[in-house]
Amino acid sequence: MLRRSLVRTALFALLYAAAVYAGRRTAMVADGVSLVWPAAGVAVVWFCAHRAAPTRHLDMLLLAVILGVGNWRTGATPAVGVVAGLVGVIQVVIFRWALRRWRPNLWGAGGSDGLRSPRDLWALAGAGLACSVGANVASLLGRWLVTGSMPVALSVMSLARHMASILIFGAVGICVGAALTARQRPRPRPVPAWRKAEIAGILTVSIVGQVAAFAYEHRMPLSFALLGFTVLVGTRLRTPWVLLHNLVISLVAIQYTLQGSGPFAQVSEISRRAVIVQLFCILVTLVGLSLSLGRDERRELLTALAEEKAELERQRRQAAHHADLLTAIIDSMADGLAVIGPDRRVALHNPAVVQLLGSASGWQGLCHLDGTPFDLPALAGEEVAGVDLLVRNPGVPEGRVVRVTATSLPHPDGTRSAVVLFHDVTAERRHRDELTNFAGVVAHDLLNPLASIEGWTTAAQDALDDVPAHPGVDQGLAYLTRLLRASGRMRGLIDGLLAYATAREAAVAPARVELGEVVADICLARTDAAVAAGKPEPVFDIGKLPAVQADPILVRQLLDNLIGNAVKYTAPGVVPALRITATAPSFSPLSPAPGMVTVHIADNGIGIPDGQHSAIFDNFHRAHAGGGYLGTGLGLAICKRIVERHGGRIAATDNPGGGSCFTFTLPAALPATAPAQVLSRAR
C-alpha cells in the first residue's frame, strides 16, 4: 500500500513539475506572467486522488517545493518562490474542503461518482472559484510582505487562469478517476455507424472552425460566434467527448494567442489578453459541460421514470393476478365471507353468503338461538369469535345455525369495517345434540342397574355380618367393599355426565343472583363437610360480590365446582385458604368486558402443571391423575360451559402466593327499571 502510494506520488510530482514548466513557458512578459497555468488543475486532481493516501503530507511538501523552485528557476526571486509554494498548498486545501462540503459524493471528495448533473459542475466551479480567490488573496499578502507591492491586475489574471485550469483539468480528472475506481464498469454498447459518423463530423467541424477563426489573418472576432458549435457538441455528444472537445479548443485558443494570431491577439494589453483567453476557455467548458450533463441527467431521469413505470405496471399486473386469484379462492369457499362497511352496507361478499343467509344483507336479520335479534354493528368495534346464531329466511323456514366470526378492520380515517366469516354448523350441532342427548339418556338409564348393584351389594354385606368368622367370609366382604367403591366411582361419573348434559342443553333462565349469598352458603356447606369428615376447616376470605344476571341453578353449580376443587386440590397437612373477590362492572365501551362482573377465586392448593392452564377445561382432562385426587375430568368443562352460555369467559392462572387463581365473567345484574334482555350467546 505504501509502495504503491509512493509510486503514485512520484508520478504526480513529475506531472506537476511538467505542468509548472509548461505554464512558465507561456510567459508573455519579462516578469514571468504566464498565459495559462495547467499546474493548478493538475494539483487539485493530484490531491483528490491522494485524499486519504498515507503519503498525502509528502505530497504537500513536494507540491510546495516544486512550485517554489519552478518559479525561482524561471525568473522569480527566492522569496516569491517560497510564497508561490505556500499559496499552492493553500489552494489545494481550500479546493478539497469546498468540494467535500458541497458535493461529497464526487470522486476525490469522499465519494466515487463522476460528473453526472449540472449541480456537480456548479459545485466544481464554485470550489475552483473559492480556492482561486483564496490563493490570490494569500499571494497578494505574501508578495506585499516580501516585495512591498500588491499587483492587483496580475492577481486578476492569475485568478482567471487558475479558474480555467481547475475547471478543465478538474472535470477531466473527476470523470477519469470515477471511471477507473468504479467497481462495476458498464459494458460499452455497440455504437452504430451513423453515430460514429455524427461524432466525428461534429468534432471535426467544431475544431476546424475554431482553427480557421484563430488563424484568420484579419483577426475578426469570429471565435465567439463559433460557440454555437460548442452548443452542438454539448447537446449531441456524451460527456467524455465534450471534455476532449473543451481541452482541444482551449489548446487551440491558447496556442494561436501565444503566436500573436487570432481574434484575441489584437488586444494590445497583455494582461487583458490573458484574461479574455481564460474567460473564453471557461465559457467553452461551462457551456459544453452544462449542456452535456443536463442531457445526461434528463436521460437518467427518463430512464428511471420508464423503469418505475414498468415496475408499477408489473406490480399492477401482479396485483390484478393476485386479486383474481383471491377472488377465485373466496368465491370457491363453502363458508360465507363478507366485508361490512362502517355504514352497515356489504362492501364485499362471496356466493356462499347468499346461500347461507338468503341474501347478501341477510346478516341484518340474524338472531340468537332463542330468537333474540342480534345487532351486528358491534362487530365493527370488537372481535367476535365463534358465536352461533340462528338464520331463518323463506329459503330455510326451519332455520339453520350459523357460526359467525368477525374481525375488526380499522381505516385511516378512524372508522371501522368488519370482516365476517359465516360457517354452517347445523349438521354439526344436530350431531352433537344427538350425542349429548344419548349420553344423558344412557347416564340416566345406567342409574337403575347401578342402584340395584349397590343395593344387593349392601344386602350381601349385611347377610355376611351374621356369619361366623371365616377366611372366606373376610375375603368376600373385601370383594364387596371394592365393588361398592367401584360403583361409587361409576355413580360419580354418571352424575358428572348428567350435570354436563344439563349445563350444555338446559334452558337458561336469567334472573338476579346475589353472588355474596350463594358463595356464603356454599362455603358454609364446605366447612360442615370438612368437619364431618374430620379434615381441617377451610379458611374463606370473601370480598364484596355484586349481583349478576344469570341462571341461579347454573351459577350455584359453577361456584360449587370451583370452590370444591380449590378445597380438594390442597396438599396434605395444609389448611385450604380461599380468597373470593369480584370487580365491579364497567359499562364503558372501552372496557375489556363492558357490562360484565369479573370474579376471582384464588387458593393455596397444589397449583396447575405448566402448559395445562387451558387444557384443564377440556372434557375428561385431569391435571393430577396420578396424585391420589379423585375426579371425572368433567368439573371444569362444566364450569366453562356454564360461563360461555352466559356470554362470559373463564381462565386459570397461577396464584402469585402459591396455588391457582380462576377468573370468570358473568353479566352484571340489570337495574330494576331496565327491560328484560337475553344475555346469552348459546353455542
Side-chain angles (χ1 to χ4, degrees), residues 17 20-21 24 37 64-76 81 84:
V20 170
Y21 177 76
R24 297 297 292 174
W37 192 247
V65 171
I66 293 172
L67 186 57
V69 172
N71 277 269
W72 171 54
R73 296 297 297 174
T74 54

Side-chain angles (χ1 to χ4, degrees), residues 585-600:
S586 172
F587 294 94
S588 172
L590 301 179
S591 174
M596 305 292 284
V597 173
T598 304
V599 182
H600 307 276

Side-chain angles (χ1 to χ4, degrees), residues 147-303:
T147 65
S149 62
M150 297 183 67
V152 178
L154 181 63
S155 178
V156 173
M157 185 177 62
S158 176
L159 175 65
R161 69 188 185 189
H162 280 226
M163 179 67 184
S165 176
I166 292 174
L167 191 60
I168 296 173
F169 289 97
V172 174
I174 290 176
C175 292
V176 173
L180 293 177
T181 57
R183 295 182 180 180
Q184 295 182 352
R185 300 179 183 178
R187 296 181 179 180
R189 298 179 179 179
V191 181
W194 68 268
R195 180 60 175 164
K196 294 180 180 179
E198 181 186 22
I199 294 173
I202 291 176
L203 289 177
T204 301
V205 170
S206 180
I207 294 173
V208 170
Q210 295 284 356
V211 171
F214 279 97
Y216 190 56
E217 296 181 356
H218 297 286
R219 300 181 179 181
M220 294 181 66
L222 298 177
S223 181
F224 282 97
L226 293 178
L227 284 176
F229 285 104
T230 301
V231 174
L232 180 61
V233 170
T235 54
R236 292 299 302 163
L237 303 186
R238 299 183 60 186
T239 301
W241 293 112
V242 175
L243 291 173
L244 177 62
H245 172 267
N246 295 341
L247 186 60
V248 172
I249 295 303
S250 299
L251 291 176
V252 169
I254 292 169
Q255 183 63 29
Y256 275 98
T257 302
L258 284 173
Q259 295 177 0
S261 177
F264 304 139
Q266 62 183 342
V267 180
S268 58
E269 188 175 347
I270 295 179
S271 60
R272 292 183 180 179
R273 187 189 312 171
V275 171
I276 292 174
V277 171
Q278 301 301 332
L279 290 178
F280 173 77
C281 296
I282 293 173
L283 184 61
V284 169
T285 302
L286 289 178
V287 170
L289 283 179
S290 62
L291 292 174
S292 175
L293 294 175
R295 186 194 66 251
D296 292 345
E297 185 180 30
R298 287 192 299 273
R299 181 184 295 113
E300 290 183 2
L301 291 176
L302 291 175
T303 302

